[in-house]
């Protein structure tokens, strides 16, 4: 898994690209505090090599909790900036620091 951050000079925005290798998966979605944990809001596109990829514009100078929903299983990104326990989920969420 990978996260790429591209800060824009002209706007207080960071383009965040999420990449998830999941050849066997049918659907991968990024859910988090930036989209109210909506499982339909940020679907990643499946590439020919089996990797799912997508870019989201997010306001910078913020922290966001997130996870990947791979088919019906939640997963954290191993390259997240940090992790925080979430009592509602009963698990750690990945944290994106912009």
């Amino acid at each position: 898994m990978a996260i790429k951050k591209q800060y824009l000079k002209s706007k207080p925005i960071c383009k965040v690209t999420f990449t998830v290798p999941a050849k066997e998966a049918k659907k991968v979605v990024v859910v988090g505090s930036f989209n109210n944990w909506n499982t339909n809001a940020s679907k990643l596109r499946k590439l020919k090599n089996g990797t799912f990829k997508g870019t989201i514009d997010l306001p910078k100078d913020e922290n966001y909790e997130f996870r990947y929903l791979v088919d019906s299983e939640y997963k954290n990104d191993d390259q997240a900036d940090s992790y925080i326990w979430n009592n509602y989920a009963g698990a750690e969420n990945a944290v994106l620091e912009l």
Side-chain angles (χ1 to χ4, degrees), residues 62-73:
E62 299 284 337
N63 291 341
Y64 302 95
E65 291 183 38
F66 76 99
R67 295 185 92 184
Y68 298 114
L69 184 57
V70 179
D71 289 334
S72 59
E73 185 180 340

Side-chain angles (χ1 to χ4, degrees), residues 14-63:
C14 181
K15 288 185 171 291
V16 181
T17 301
F18 298 94
T19 305
V20 180
K23 288 183 181 182
E24 304 302 318
K26 292 181 178 18
K27 177 180 169 185
V28 177
V29 181
V30 180
V31 295
S33 56
F34 49 82
N35 63 11
N36 293 318
W37 301 92
N38 183 337
T39 59
N40 294 310
S42 303
K43 294 179 185 174
L44 302 184
R45 189 177 69 252
K46 189 169 189 175
L47 305 178
K48 289 181 182 180
N49 66 2
T51 300
F52 286 79
K53 192 171 187 178
T55 302
I56 302 172
D57 292 353
L58 295 172
K60 66 178 192 173
D61 300 324
E62 299 284 337
N63 291 341

Side-chain angles (χ1 to χ4, degrees), residues 84-97:
I84 188 167
W85 181 258
N86 181 288
N87 285 331
Y88 181 78
E92 283 188 331
N93 287 336
V95 177
L96 181 64
E97 298 171 359

